[in-house]
Amino acid sequence: MSLEDLLQQALRIHDLYDELNLQERGRVWTQEEFMLGFVGDVGDLAKLVMAEAGAREMPGGRTALEHELADCLWSVLILAHRYDTDLEAAFRRHWLRQLLLVPHGNHMWPQSVIN
């Protein structure tokens, strides 16, 4: 599944949440509220990562970890969409620059790694 496919599915889910929120609350979430929801999901993910490493107790195990990773991915896709960001292009620009600028051991990354 491509990033664009994931985005389209995320947007369908987003639209369903908008419909639900309009029915139940009379309004949809703002960009800031989506960000706050994402922060909450990242906090939950952090606890589950710690549990996976044995540093704390947390119910749900691996299934809960995968659930939170999916929640975080959904939030990133929706935030990128709401801020009119081509996430794939931004990712490539950022990480290509990192690969070109960050030395690998005593030499730069091989061209085969960058391409």
Side-chain angles (χ1 to χ4, degrees), residues 76-103:
V76 168
L77 291 167
I78 294 304
L79 286 165
H81 174 76
R82 284 188 158 222
Y83 284 96
D84 197 27
T85 298
D86 180 340
L87 200 51
E88 186 173 354
F91 183 90
R92 287 183 182 180
R93 273 192 314 272
H94 172 76
W95 286 106
L96 178 59
R97 185 174 66 241
Q98 293 303 314
L99 287 173
L100 292 173
L101 296 177
V102 177

mmCIF file of all heavy atoms in Angstrom, residues 76-103:
data_model
loop_
_atom_site.group_PDB
_atom_site.id
_atom_site.type_symbol
_atom_site.label_atom_id
_atom_site.label_comp_id
_atom_site.label_asym_id
_atom_site.label_seq_id
_atom_site.Cartn_x
_atom_site.Cartn_y
_atom_site.Cartn_z
ATOM 1 N N VAL A 76 -0.464 11.839 11.824
ATOM 2 C CA VAL A 76 0.543 12.498 10.982
ATOM 3 C C VAL A 76 -0.014 12.732 9.582
ATOM 4 O O VAL A 76 0.145 13.824 9.008
ATOM 5 C CB VAL A 76 1.849 11.688 10.939
ATOM 6 C CG1 VAL A 76 2.782 12.188 9.852
ATOM 7 C CG2 VAL A 76 2.545 11.731 12.298
ATOM 8 N N LEU A 77 -0.688 11.732 9.030
ATOM 9 C CA LEU A 77 -1.270 11.890 7.692
ATOM 10 C C LEU A 77 -2.313 13.010 7.669
ATOM 11 O O LEU A 77 -2.323 13.840 6.752
ATOM 12 C CB LEU A 77 -1.900 10.573 7.233
ATOM 13 C CG LEU A 77 -0.928 9.434 6.935
ATOM 14 C CD1 LEU A 77 -1.673 8.113 6.805
ATOM 15 C CD2 LEU A 77 -0.106 9.740 5.697
ATOM 16 N N ILE A 78 -3.170 13.066 8.673
ATOM 17 C CA ILE A 78 -4.212 14.095 8.722
ATOM 18 C C ILE A 78 -3.602 15.472 8.955
ATOM 19 O O ILE A 78 -3.991 16.454 8.303
ATOM 20 C CB ILE A 78 -5.264 13.759 9.797
ATOM 21 C CG1 ILE A 78 -6.023 12.485 9.411
ATOM 22 C CG2 ILE A 78 -6.219 14.923 10.016
ATOM 23 C CD1 ILE A 78 -6.697 12.508 8.051
ATOM 24 N N LEU A 79 -2.645 15.583 9.851
ATOM 25 C CA LEU A 79 -2.003 16.881 10.080
ATOM 26 C C LEU A 79 -1.299 17.367 8.819
ATOM 27 O O LEU A 79 -1.392 18.556 8.469
ATOM 28 C CB LEU A 79 -1.027 16.800 11.253
ATOM 29 C CG LEU A 79 -1.685 16.733 12.630
ATOM 30 C CD1 LEU A 79 -0.677 16.291 13.688
ATOM 31 C CD2 LEU A 79 -2.309 18.073 12.996
ATOM 32 N N ALA A 80 -0.608 16.469 8.125
ATOM 33 C CA ALA A 80 0.051 16.869 6.879
ATOM 34 C C ALA A 80 -0.981 17.369 5.872
ATOM 35 O O ALA A 80 -0.775 18.398 5.214
ATOM 36 C CB ALA A 80 0.843 15.697 6.302
ATOM 37 N N HIS A 81 -2.084 16.671 5.771
ATOM 38 C CA HIS A 81 -3.149 17.098 4.850
ATOM 39 C C HIS A 81 -3.716 18.457 5.253
ATOM 40 O O HIS A 81 -3.868 19.353 4.410
ATOM 41 C CB HIS A 81 -4.257 16.046 4.817
ATOM 42 C CG HIS A 81 -5.435 16.462 4.007
ATOM 43 N ND1 HIS A 81 -5.431 16.456 2.630
ATOM 44 C CD2 HIS A 81 -6.646 16.927 4.384
ATOM 45 C CE1 HIS A 81 -6.595 16.898 2.191
ATOM 46 N NE2 HIS A 81 -7.346 17.179 3.240
ATOM 47 N N ARG A 82 -3.997 18.624 6.516
ATOM 48 C CA ARG A 82 -4.600 19.885 6.987
ATOM 49 C C ARG A 82 -3.645 21.076 6.841
ATOM 50 O O ARG A 82 -4.082 22.203 6.737
ATOM 51 C CB ARG A 82 -5.068 19.747 8.425
ATOM 52 C CG ARG A 82 -6.354 18.948 8.512
ATOM 53 C CD ARG A 82 -6.908 18.984 9.902
ATOM 54 N NE ARG A 82 -8.326 18.691 9.857
ATOM 55 C CZ ARG A 82 -9.225 19.334 10.561
ATOM 56 N NH1 ARG A 82 -8.872 20.308 11.355
ATOM 57 N NH2 ARG A 82 -10.487 18.996 10.482
ATOM 58 N N TYR A 83 -2.350 20.801 6.864
ATOM 59 C CA TYR A 83 -1.365 21.871 6.673
ATOM 60 C C TYR A 83 -0.823 21.880 5.246
ATOM 61 O O TYR A 83 0.225 22.460 4.976
ATOM 62 C CB TYR A 83 -0.242 21.756 7.704
ATOM 63 C CG TYR A 83 -0.688 22.232 9.064
ATOM 64 C CD1 TYR A 83 -1.143 21.346 10.033
ATOM 65 C CD2 TYR A 83 -0.693 23.585 9.375
ATOM 66 C CE1 TYR A 83 -1.571 21.788 11.266
ATOM 67 C CE2 TYR A 83 -1.118 24.040 10.606
ATOM 68 C CZ TYR A 83 -1.561 23.129 11.552
ATOM 69 O OH TYR A 83 -1.995 23.578 12.779
ATOM 70 N N ASP A 84 -1.551 21.219 4.341
ATOM 71 C CA ASP A 84 -1.236 21.220 2.913
ATOM 72 C C ASP A 84 0.234 20.875 2.653
ATOM 73 O O ASP A 84 0.949 21.594 1.955
ATOM 74 C CB ASP A 84 -1.596 22.584 2.297
ATOM 75 C CG ASP A 84 -1.674 22.513 0.777
ATOM 76 O OD1 ASP A 84 -1.959 21.418 0.241
ATOM 77 O OD2 ASP A 84 -1.438 23.548 0.125
ATOM 78 N N THR A 85 0.664 19.778 3.256
ATOM 79 C CA THR A 85 2.040 19.327 3.139
ATOM 80 C C THR A 85 2.094 18.021 2.367
ATOM 81 O O THR A 85 1.399 17.066 2.716
ATOM 82 C CB THR A 85 2.657 19.120 4.538
ATOM 83 O OG1 THR A 85 2.652 20.363 5.221
ATOM 84 C CG2 THR A 85 4.069 18.579 4.458
ATOM 85 N N ASP A 86 2.892 17.985 1.326
ATOM 86 C CA ASP A 86 3.147 16.745 0.604
ATOM 87 C C ASP A 86 4.152 15.964 1.433
ATOM 88 O O ASP A 86 5.360 16.224 1.387
ATOM 89 C CB ASP A 86 3.684 17.054 -0.795
ATOM 90 C CG ASP A 86 3.980 15.815 -1.614
ATOM 91 O OD1 ASP A 86 4.140 14.711 -1.036
ATOM 92 O OD2 ASP A 86 4.055 15.945 -2.847
ATOM 93 N N LEU A 87 3.650 15.043 2.219
ATOM 94 C CA LEU A 87 4.480 14.336 3.178
ATOM 95 C C LEU A 87 5.577 13.515 2.498
ATOM 96 O O LEU A 87 6.713 13.477 2.969
ATOM 97 C CB LEU A 87 3.594 13.426 4.029
ATOM 98 C CG LEU A 87 4.117 12.949 5.356
ATOM 99 C CD1 LEU A 87 4.620 14.097 6.205
ATOM 100 C CD2 LEU A 87 3.044 12.170 6.080
ATOM 101 N N GLU A 88 5.254 12.901 1.387
ATOM 102 C CA GLU A 88 6.253 12.104 0.673
ATOM 103 C C GLU A 88 7.394 12.993 0.178
ATOM 104 O O GLU A 88 8.573 12.672 0.358
ATOM 105 C CB GLU A 88 5.612 11.367 -0.496
ATOM 106 C CG GLU A 88 6.561 10.422 -1.188
ATOM 107 C CD GLU A 88 5.885 9.572 -2.248
ATOM 108 O OE1 GLU A 88 4.649 9.620 -2.383
ATOM 109 O OE2 GLU A 88 6.619 8.858 -2.941
ATOM 110 N N ALA A 89 7.063 14.136 -0.407
ATOM 111 C CA ALA A 89 8.100 15.061 -0.898
ATOM 112 C C ALA A 89 8.916 15.624 0.264
ATOM 113 O O ALA A 89 10.147 15.721 0.175
ATOM 114 C CB ALA A 89 7.465 16.188 -1.707
ATOM 115 N N ALA A 90 8.246 15.988 1.348
ATOM 116 C CA ALA A 90 8.958 16.527 2.514
ATOM 117 C C ALA A 90 9.899 15.482 3.103
ATOM 118 O O ALA A 90 11.038 15.793 3.471
ATOM 119 C CB ALA A 90 7.959 17.002 3.563
ATOM 120 N N PHE A 91 9.434 14.245 3.185
ATOM 121 C CA PHE A 91 10.262 13.153 3.704
ATOM 122 C C PHE A 91 11.504 12.973 2.838
ATOM 123 O O PHE A 91 12.620 12.887 3.345
ATOM 124 C CB PHE A 91 9.435 11.862 3.739
ATOM 125 C CG PHE A 91 10.174 10.689 4.325
ATOM 126 C CD1 PHE A 91 10.106 10.427 5.676
ATOM 127 C CD2 PHE A 91 10.927 9.848 3.519
ATOM 128 C CE1 PHE A 91 10.775 9.337 6.223
ATOM 129 C CE2 PHE A 91 11.603 8.765 4.051
ATOM 130 C CZ PHE A 91 11.526 8.504 5.408
ATOM 131 N N ARG A 92 11.288 12.920 1.537
ATOM 132 C CA ARG A 92 12.433 12.732 0.633
ATOM 133 C C ARG A 92 13.410 13.899 0.719
ATOM 134 O O ARG A 92 14.626 13.689 0.753
ATOM 135 C CB ARG A 92 11.951 12.548 -0.792
ATOM 136 C CG ARG A 92 11.319 11.205 -1.002
ATOM 137 C CD ARG A 92 10.910 10.999 -2.426
ATOM 138 N NE ARG A 92 10.275 9.696 -2.541
ATOM 139 C CZ ARG A 92 9.805 9.217 -3.640
ATOM 140 N NH1 ARG A 92 9.888 9.917 -4.756
ATOM 141 N NH2 ARG A 92 9.237 8.038 -3.666
ATOM 142 N N ARG A 93 12.889 15.126 0.724
ATOM 143 C CA ARG A 93 13.780 16.301 0.819
ATOM 144 C C ARG A 93 14.604 16.243 2.103
ATOM 145 O O ARG A 93 15.817 16.413 2.087
ATOM 146 C CB ARG A 93 12.977 17.593 0.794
ATOM 147 C CG ARG A 93 12.671 18.137 -0.560
ATOM 148 C CD ARG A 93 12.134 19.563 -0.501
ATOM 149 N NE ARG A 93 11.118 19.767 0.510
ATOM 150 C CZ ARG A 93 9.806 19.568 0.326
ATOM 151 N NH1 ARG A 93 9.352 19.143 -0.836
ATOM 152 N NH2 ARG A 93 8.951 19.791 1.308
ATOM 153 N N HIS A 94 13.941 16.011 3.220
ATOM 154 C CA HIS A 94 14.626 16.005 4.507
ATOM 155 C C HIS A 94 15.653 14.881 4.593
ATOM 156 O O HIS A 94 16.813 15.110 4.943
ATOM 157 C CB HIS A 94 13.612 15.878 5.651
ATOM 158 C CG HIS A 94 14.262 15.685 6.977
ATOM 159 N ND1 HIS A 94 14.855 16.725 7.645
ATOM 160 C CD2 HIS A 94 14.451 14.567 7.725
ATOM 161 C CE1 HIS A 94 15.370 16.255 8.783
ATOM 162 N NE2 HIS A 94 15.136 14.954 8.851
ATOM 163 N N TRP A 95 15.235 13.659 4.285
ATOM 164 C CA TRP A 95 16.133 12.523 4.473
ATOM 165 C C TRP A 95 17.200 12.425 3.407
ATOM 166 O O TRP A 95 18.314 11.958 3.691
ATOM 167 C CB TRP A 95 15.340 11.233 4.629
ATOM 168 C CG TRP A 95 14.724 11.232 5.997
ATOM 169 C CD1 TRP A 95 13.414 11.440 6.309
ATOM 170 C CD2 TRP A 95 15.415 11.114 7.238
ATOM 171 N NE1 TRP A 95 13.251 11.448 7.669
ATOM 172 C CE2 TRP A 95 14.469 11.246 8.269
ATOM 173 C CE3 TRP A 95 16.745 10.907 7.585
ATOM 174 C CZ2 TRP A 95 14.811 11.175 9.616
ATOM 175 C CZ3 TRP A 95 17.086 10.835 8.930
ATOM 176 C CH2 TRP A 95 16.121 10.968 9.926
ATOM 177 N N LEU A 96 16.942 12.880 2.210
ATOM 178 C CA LEU A 96 17.999 12.924 1.209
ATOM 179 C C LEU A 96 19.093 13.880 1.661
ATOM 180 O O LEU A 96 20.279 13.577 1.597
ATOM 181 C CB LEU A 96 17.451 13.344 -0.157
ATOM 182 C CG LEU A 96 18.492 13.456 -1.272
ATOM 183 C CD1 LEU A 96 19.210 12.131 -1.485
ATOM 184 C CD2 LEU A 96 17.854 13.931 -2.544
ATOM 185 N N ARG A 97 18.680 15.043 2.175
ATOM 186 C CA ARG A 97 19.661 16.007 2.683
ATOM 187 C C ARG A 97 20.458 15.387 3.826
ATOM 188 O O ARG A 97 21.683 15.533 3.905
ATOM 189 C CB ARG A 97 18.958 17.281 3.136
ATOM 190 C CG ARG A 97 19.943 18.371 3.569
ATOM 191 C CD ARG A 97 19.275 19.693 3.887
ATOM 192 N NE ARG A 97 18.428 19.577 5.051
ATOM 193 C CZ ARG A 97 17.103 19.794 5.044
ATOM 194 N NH1 ARG A 97 16.486 20.145 3.947
ATOM 195 N NH2 ARG A 97 16.397 19.663 6.145
ATOM 196 N N GLN A 98 19.776 14.651 4.722
ATOM 197 C CA GLN A 98 20.478 14.015 5.831
ATOM 198 C C GLN A 98 21.498 12.999 5.329
ATOM 199 O O GLN A 98 22.615 12.933 5.829
ATOM 200 C CB GLN A 98 19.479 13.329 6.778
ATOM 201 C CG GLN A 98 18.585 14.285 7.514
ATOM 202 C CD GLN A 98 19.350 15.314 8.322
ATOM 203 O OE1 GLN A 98 20.293 14.981 9.032
ATOM 204 N NE2 GLN A 98 18.976 16.561 8.185
ATOM 205 N N LEU A 99 21.104 12.213 4.346
ATOM 206 C CA LEU A 99 22.023 11.208 3.814
ATOM 207 C C LEU A 99 23.235 11.846 3.146
ATOM 208 O O LEU A 99 24.341 11.299 3.180
ATOM 209 C CB LEU A 99 21.313 10.292 2.820
ATOM 210 C CG LEU A 99 20.346 9.291 3.446
ATOM 211 C CD1 LEU A 99 19.580 8.550 2.366
ATOM 212 C CD2 LEU A 99 21.067 8.312 4.351
ATOM 213 N N LEU A 100 23.024 13.005 2.530
ATOM 214 C CA LEU A 100 24.130 13.689 1.857
ATOM 215 C C LEU A 100 25.053 14.396 2.840
ATOM 216 O O LEU A 100 26.240 14.550 2.579
ATOM 217 C CB LEU A 100 23.591 14.689 0.835
ATOM 218 C CG LEU A 100 22.905 14.073 -0.376
ATOM 219 C CD1 LEU A 100 22.273 15.175 -1.215
ATOM 220 C CD2 LEU A 100 23.872 13.249 -1.206
ATOM 221 N N LEU A 101 24.517 14.839 3.982
ATOM 222 C CA LEU A 101 25.299 15.655 4.900
ATOM 223 C C LEU A 101 25.909 14.896 6.071
ATOM 224 O O LEU A 101 26.900 15.333 6.632
ATOM 225 C CB LEU A 101 24.422 16.786 5.465
ATOM 226 C CG LEU A 101 23.918 17.808 4.447
ATOM 227 C CD1 LEU A 101 23.008 18.821 5.130
ATOM 228 C CD2 LEU A 101 25.079 18.512 3.769
ATOM 229 N N VAL A 102 25.313 13.792 6.454
ATOM 230 C CA VAL A 102 25.770 13.087 7.649
ATOM 231 C C VAL A 102 26.785 12.022 7.263
ATOM 232 O O VAL A 102 26.475 11.123 6.480
ATOM 233 C CB VAL A 102 24.570 12.442 8.385
ATOM 234 C CG1 VAL A 102 25.043 11.644 9.577
ATOM 235 C CG2 VAL A 102 23.583 13.517 8.804
ATOM 236 N N PRO A 103 27.985 12.117 7.806
ATOM 237 C CA PRO A 103 28.996 11.105 7.486
ATOM 238 C C PRO A 103 28.598 9.735 8.023
ATOM 239 O O PRO A 103 27.922 9.627 9.033
ATOM 240 C CB PRO A 103 30.256 11.595 8.186
ATOM 241 C CG PRO A 103 29.956 12.938 8.704
ATOM 242 C CD PRO A 103 28.481 13.135 8.696
#
